[in-house]
Amino acid sequence: MNSLQTFFAMGGYAMYVWPAYALFFTVLIADTIAPGVRRRRVLRELRTRLARQSMRQNRPTPAPPSP
Amino acid sequence: MSSWIPLWLHKLGSPPTFYRFAGSLRPWAMALALLLGAVGLYGGLVLAPADYQQGDAYRIIFIHVPSAEMSMFIYAAMGAAAFIALVWRIKLAEVVAMESAPIGAAFTFITLVTGSLWGKPMWGTWWTWDARLTSELVLLFLYLGVIGLYHAFEDRRQGARAAAFLAIIGIINVPIVHFSVNWWNTLHQGSTVNIFGKSKMSWDMLWPLLTMMLATKFYYVASLFNRVRTDLLALEGGKDWVRKIAADEARS
């Protein structure tokens, strides 16, 4: 058995050691990605709101009813 | 605000200033976390010898113990920020407290699952209702309670104050988790790392563990800054500085 195989075998405890490390990295990567996704959503919603506001302001005011 | 607080700290509390400050520090914190993490894991998984009793299974320690320590460290940080938020009504402190909770919950979850994966081959069971494991599970529920309470309110600042109150009450659980192995009989082993005395571990196992504990601290800073920045944008959506960022990012 070469040294890389020995390393991955973890002395017979591979089925406990590697899932633990996989979970550690999966959770932390998800924790790092989540705020970026939320950030894009927040800014997109803000732009939509601002665009709607400026549309409302630029609309010409209706002419007063003629007598 | 009292006059004894230096001006720069005062300014740092303002959302746009902190947004820029956190944005410039975050890459450095993340780089340090990755570098220290790589060094620590190389030391732990490759260089350190196998344990004479536990064989290679003990190598889970290099993520389990740093995560467990972070689950308590982040709770203490969250509690301190929650206290500042309740007493001085500083918006930034509210955000720091509320955005610490998901990171703390993540580390607590990692602690419980990696502990379970370590417990099965060593103790012969995935789970036991002893003091250390149960109090750590309570810690997870406290984090989830803080997150849930924060989102249960229509008004976010009102939610943050309610959740901050729960966070402060929950601090009582942190020493219980820490001292549980001394106060009660338990399957869980006692502390291996001792800051003030001699650690019960040989140096070639200890230095990777300490490096990982430092790496997770920097990770917390990086993740917190990332989250706080996003939350400030959401909270201050009506302000000019956020509108400018929204407009700038649409152009790029």
Side-chain angles (χ1 to χ4, degrees):
Chain A
M1 203 152 65
N2 67 41
S3 67
L4 208 62
Q5 273 174 314
T6 328
F7 174 71
F8 285 116
M10 275 290 145
Y13 292 111
M15 60 174 295
Y16 301 105
V17 174
W18 296 123
Y21 276 84
L23 178 94
F24 177 76
F25 284 109
T26 309
V27 171
L28 293 190
I29 288 169
D31 173 68
T32 302
I33 291 173
V37 175
R38 182 172 168 228
R39 180 199 159 91
R40 276 192 292 281
R41 201 191 65 226
V42 164
L43 290 179
R44 198 174 54 237
E45 282 169 4
L46 181 64
R47 278 194 294 271
T48 320
R49 208 169 72 216
L50 291 176
R52 213 183 298 126
Q53 265 175 16
S54 71
M55 223 152 70
R56 211 178 294 135
Q57 279 163 2
N58 294 342
R59 195 186 299 154
T61 43
S66 51
Chain B
M1 187 65 61
S2 329
S3 55
W4 51 267
I5 295 169
L7 191 63
W8 63 267
L9 197 67
H10 209 95
K11 279 188 180 147
L12 197 59
S14 95
T17 311
F18 190 83
Y19 181 88
R20 278 195 303 275
F21 169 79
S24 55
L25 277 196
R26 196 184 84 86
W28 294 100
M30 198 53 159
L32 272 171
L34 290 174
L35 184 72
L36 289 168
V39 171
L41 286 189
Y42 183 74
L45 290 173
V46 180
L47 300 180
D51 186 68
Y52 79 103
Q53 273 183 326
Q54 303 197 2
D56 284 314
Y58 94 96
R59 293 187 200 275
I60 294 175
I61 200 175
F62 300 112
I63 48 177
H64 177 74
V65 167
S67 300
E69 205 243 351
M70 288 315 287
S71 72
M72 290 183 279
F73 179 88
I74 294 174
Y75 201 98
M78 179 176 78
F83 182 79
I84 293 170
L86 281 185
V87 175
W88 288 290
R89 302 271 163 122
I90 300 171
K91 196 191 250 180
L92 182 64
E94 276 170 24
V95 175
V96 166
M98 291 307 114
E99 292 302 319
S100 288
I103 314 170
F107 275 114
T108 311
F109 178 70
I110 293 172
T111 306
L112 288 167
V113 178
T114 55
S116 192
L117 283 163
W118 194 1
K120 183 62 183 167
M122 290 302 121
W123 303 338
T125 177
W126 300 103
W127 183 262
T128 165
W129 292 101
D130 86 336
R132 173 52 75 79
L133 280 68
T134 308
S135 57
E136 185 73 13
L137 186 64
V138 169
L139 194 66
L140 179 63
F141 290 153
L142 280 169
Y143 275 124
L144 296 181
V146 168
I147 296 167
L149 199 53
Y150 177 44
H151 291 290
F153 285 76
E154 195 78 34
D155 178 41
R156 309 234 347 221
R157 296 206 64 186
Q158 209 179 345
R161 278 198 285 277
F165 196 68
L166 174 63
I168 290 171
I169 295 171
I171 286 184
I172 186 68
N173 191 42
V174 173
I176 295 180
V177 175
H178 185 78
F179 292 111
S180 57
V181 284
N182 306 340
W183 291 345
W184 291 283
N185 278 323
T186 167
L187 269 181
H188 198 284
Q189 67 192 63
S191 40
T192 321
V193 180
N194 204 330
I195 300 170
F196 302 109
K198 201 174 174 337
S199 294
K200 296 178 213 150
M201 211 180 188
S202 81
W203 179 245
D204 41 8
M205 294 174 180
L206 187 61
W207 77 257
L209 184 57
L210 295 175
T211 310
M212 283 304 288
M213 288 166 104
L214 201 58
T216 47
K217 297 277 186 315
F218 281 112
Y219 176 83
Y220 168 55
V221 172
S223 177
L224 180 68
F225 281 4
N226 196 8
R227 287 174 171 279
V228 167
R229 272 162 61 90
T230 302
D231 213 35
L232 287 177
L233 290 181
L235 225 63
E236 303 247 289
K239 303 272 172 69
D240 278 342
W241 71 273
V242 179
R243 292 177 178 209
K244 197 169 169 304
I245 291 168
D248 286 350
E249 269 188 31
R251 242 174 271 128
S252 60

